[in-house]
Amino acid sequence: MTNEKRKHSKFEQEVWEMLKKIPSGKVASYLDIAKAMGRPLASRAVGNAIGKNSFAPEIPCHRVVCSSGKIGGYAKGASEKIQLLEKEGIKVKKGRIADFESKRHFLK
DNA sequence: AGTAAGGCGGGCA
DNA sequence: GTGCCCGCCTTAC
């Protein structure tokens, strides 16, 4: 309650919640998440929150890609990110998501 | 307290 | 497809 020591900013916590809401086999772009949080211009801030904390397997950060359908970055390496996506049923084509718009969870 | 730099992106030329 | 600039958030000095 009042004695809440936020190890992380509120913005970060919001991001984690969004990532957790993404079901397997689906993906979301940094911009989509930012928009869902009410900050359509904070696309970079979202990616910043993820990369700066490294949520670990608890958060499906590998399900987040660029708005262009590109893989983007990954703390462990974009290659690893692609492997995880393919494992969940998402096909990746040369660092790009196949049928990206059809797999967007935060599509608006 | 204010200022400065960085970062897993996005949009435009 | 590539290169450049921008705006947003957090952290450190």
Side-chain angles (χ1 to χ4, degrees), chain A residues 88-107:
Chain A
E88 302 210 337
I90 299 167
K91 288 166 179 112
V92 181
K93 192 85 176 188
K94 280 187 177 228
R96 284 178 256 92
I97 301 291
D99 209 13
F100 172 53
E101 303 216 353
S102 295
K103 293 174 180 176
R104 271 173 126 183
H105 178 62
F106 289 103
L107 180 61

Side-chain angles (χ1 to χ4, degrees), chain A residues 1 12 14-15 34 39 42 47 49 59-60 85 89 91 100-101 103:
Chain A
M1 314 279 198
E12 266 187 48
E14 279 190 84
V15 176
R39 265 95 185 163
I59 309 295
L85 290 170
K91 288 166 179 112
F100 172 53
E101 303 216 353
K103 293 174 180 176

Side-chain angles (χ1 to χ4, degrees), chain A residues 17-30:
Chain A
E17 299 279 312
M18 294 299 194
L19 297 179
K20 289 197 278 194
K21 284 176 188 177
I22 303 173
S24 183
K26 288 252 179 154
V27 295
S29 73
Y30 296 94

Side-chain angles (χ1 to χ4, degrees), chain A residues 44-80:
Chain A
R44 216 175 195 199
V46 174
N48 211 5
I50 299 173
K52 247 166 183 177
N53 283 279
S54 315
F55 305 85
E58 290 294 310
I59 309 295
C61 42
H62 62 266
R63 276 183 207 152
V64 189
V65 295
C66 289
S67 85
S68 303
K70 288 193 130 141
I71 296 300
Y74 193 54
K76 214 180 182 270
S79 303
E80 294 288 312

